[in-house]
Amino acid sequence: MKLAVVGGGSTYTPELIDGFARLRDTLPVEELVLVDPAADRLELVGGLARRIFAKQGHPGVITTTADLEAGVEGADAVLLQLRIGGQAARDQDETWPLECGCVGQETTGAGGLAKAMRTVPVVLDIAERVRRAAPDAWIIDFTNPVGIVTRALLQAGHKAVGLCNVAIGFQRKFAKALDVSPDQIHLDHVGLNHLTWERGVRLGGPQGEDVLPRLLAEHGDDIAADLHLPRQVLDRLGVVPSYYLRYYYAHDEVVRELKTSPSRASQVAAMEKQLLEMYGDPALEEKPELLSKRGGAFYSEAAVALASSLLRNTGDVQVVNTYNNGTLPFLADDAVIEVPAVVDATGTTPLPVPPLEPLFAGLVANVTAYEDLALEAALRGGRDRVFTALLAHPLVGQYEYAEALTDRLIAHNREHFAWA
């Protein structure tokens, strides 16, 4: 089995490598290729990756290359983890929206649109080259904004599935709170990427007892603290929202906080510099503890499980980003949603979802409409399309804000937009 990681020079890659090494019975990787044009980072990350495999006795071979076609040729699955523009572009995404009183965040709002517009054309170019070099390969997308990027891939006819770590993070936290193994926890997880709610927590299987009321009663304070939301919000909703819902439920509070604190991008950039220094130490044979603060907890386990299901035809249930296909009847079939689905060699089949309450359905429909317009802007460009997408976003919504944010988005990303 051959896997390729495009964006393999990321400081996050050792987390993936550790997962591949620990879970080799689930996903027996024989060849792993790290693909990245940044030769200096790739050398450091690749060296640590080989030492991790060696330390854990993994027989697989790890190679590195800047040549995409050579790296993915004959691959069974290609994992995409890209950040077009690097942490510098992320820092801009997180700061210039604040000038207009709007949340600055890299995956939602105006910053999320900027990231989508930089990213979608590059991902589609990579996917076309993957299709020529490895026509049977599955593309597993970690690249944010996952929902929009996955939709672009699917609409272009690629064998693609989007993956986020929010669901597996909740699964692990709830399992720890209940003192059970994670495989005993099944989530009634529904929504869009970075816009999801846990409406049930099933113990023992998808049809098991719903222990969400018990979790909220016994652990509500801890859950609320993790989400930076008041406990009474969870009690009134009766669900556990993803932490990205705070940008909607406490928008102005978040803006005030962001205006008075360093951007997350600046913090991560400093962390990445330190991590790369660590990776260069030939004595380091495992992922450093600092990496846990980088973000992306449990991504490696989710990636291994998804790749195994696709390549080994297991037919198990996982939370993925995939076509709606009638699952949420108020959305178009080609909307991309994030729900539990049966995953096998043919792809993903979403499980039936009980009707979504109006409070949640309204926001899902609104953000889906924005994502439609965001994808149009990413594919076709133009100031009017940027403005329309921003006006549609519930975190913007006013024409004066949309006008000002459009000017800033284009000004900060002109080098990435051929049309600008």
Side-chain angles (χ1 to χ4, degrees):
M1 184 182 297
K2 176 179 177 179
L3 267 61
V5 180
V6 179
S10 167
T11 56
Y12 175 75
T13 297
E15 173 70 31
L16 279 177
I17 300 300
D18 179 72
F20 292 149
R22 288 186 292 102
L23 303 171
R24 54 185 175 271
D25 291 339
T26 302
L27 188 70
V29 178
E30 298 165 294
E31 182 180 359
L32 180 63
V33 184
L34 306 181
V35 183
D36 203 299
D40 52 343
R41 294 170 65 105
L42 192 58
E43 180 180 1
L44 294 173
V45 173
L48 175 57
R50 295 186 191 97
R51 295 194 297 273
I52 290 173
F53 262 31
K55 175 72 177 296
Q56 298 196 31
H58 194 295
V61 175
I62 297 178
T63 60
T64 60
T65 182
D67 186 329
L68 176 70
E69 282 77 7
V72 304
E73 184 178 7
D76 298 289
V78 177
L79 285 63
L80 303 183
Q81 52 172 29
L82 308 176
R83 184 180 295 282
I84 308 305
Q87 295 297 335
R90 177 182 179 177
D91 185 68
Q92 293 179 356
D93 294 344
E94 293 176 341
T95 51
W96 55 260
L98 297 173
E99 298 169 7
C100 299
C102 295
V103 159
Q105 212 277 330
E106 64 157 342
T107 65
T108 192
L113 176 60
K115 191 174 197 301
M117 293 187 66
R118 291 194 305 269
T119 303
V120 165
V122 175
V123 167
L124 289 178
D125 176 67
I126 289 171
E128 286 297 332
R129 294 160 68 186
V130 169
R131 179 150 51 190
R132 292 193 293 268
D136 296 325
W138 280 99
I139 294 177
I140 298 175
D141 177 59
F142 303 153
T143 301
N144 281 319
V146 167
I148 295 173
V149 172
T150 301
R151 186 167 181 180
L153 288 166
L154 291 173
Q155 287 187 347
H158 297 290
K159 294 173 58 179
V161 182
L163 185 63
C164 181
N165 71 327
V166 167
I168 194 171
F170 276 133
Q171 181 201 43
R172 296 301 199 266
K173 289 176 183 177
F174 295 160
K176 183 176 181 181
L178 295 169
D179 195 24
V180 299
S181 64
D183 60 8
Q184 291 295 302
I185 297 296
H186 298 260
L187 302 175
D188 292 345
H189 178 102
V190 64
L192 310 176
N193 179 241
H194 290 185
L195 193 85
T196 52
W197 299 266
E198 310 305 330
R199 294 195 296 168
V201 178
R202 307 284 172 177
L203 189 60
Q207 305 303 318
E209 176 193 0
D210 182 9
V211 295
L212 178 57
R214 173 182 159 194
L215 273 168
L216 289 175
E218 298 178 3
H219 304 280
D221 288 343
D222 291 338
I223 296 171
D226 283 344
L227 300 174
H228 298 283
L229 287 171
R231 165 70 184 271
Q232 58 264 36
V233 172
L234 272 63
D235 291 337
R236 293 182 71 174
L237 293 176
V239 302
V240 178
S242 82
Y243 45 85
Y244 290 93
L245 265 298
R246 186 169 184 255
Y247 298 121
Y248 298 82
Y249 294 160
H251 176 274
D252 293 353
E253 179 184 350
V254 173
V255 168
R256 288 192 295 270
E257 291 173 1
L258 293 175
K259 283 183 173 181
T260 58
S261 61
S263 70
R264 174 63 178 165
S266 65
Q267 298 171 17
V268 172
M271 201 178 303
E272 286 192 334
K273 182 179 180 181
Q274 188 175 352
L275 284 169
L276 288 171
E277 292 174 355
M278 292 179 172
Y279 295 172
D281 181 357
L284 184 66
E285 298 177 318
E286 58 188 20
K287 63 176 183 178
E289 177 60 31
L290 179 62
L291 186 55
S292 65
K293 301 178 182 179
R294 168 69 175 77
F298 308 116
Y299 251 130
S300 59
E301 285 91 339
V304 167
L306 179 55
S308 176
S309 298
L310 292 168
L311 301 178
R312 306 182 79 184
N313 197 33
T314 59
D316 52 359
V317 174
Q318 296 173 43
V319 174
V320 296
N321 284 260
T322 189
Y323 270 154
N324 177 46
N325 283 337
T327 307
L328 300 179
F330 58 91
L331 298 182
D333 285 346
D334 66 350
V336 166
I337 60 175
E338 186 172 292
V339 292
V342 175
V343 184
D344 58 25
T346 67
T348 59
T349 304
L351 296 179
V353 171
L356 202 56
E357 296 84 345
L359 178 63
F360 312 133
L363 189 52
V364 167
N366 192 338
V367 175
T368 298
Y370 151 75
E371 291 190 347
D372 291 346
L373 296 166
L375 185 53
E376 274 293 295
L379 293 173
R380 302 176 64 190
R383 188 186 189 282
D384 286 349
R385 293 188 181 92
V386 175
F387 170 82
T388 303
L390 288 169
L391 188 62
H393 201 295
L395 296 183
V396 180
Q398 299 183 52
Y399 76 88
E400 288 186 357
Y401 290 170
E403 289 281 10
L405 289 167
T406 296
D407 291 338
R408 285 166 170 77
L409 187 154
I410 294 172
H412 284 284
N413 291 277
R414 201 174 298 277
E415 65 184 287
H416 298 285
F417 302 157
W419 53 267

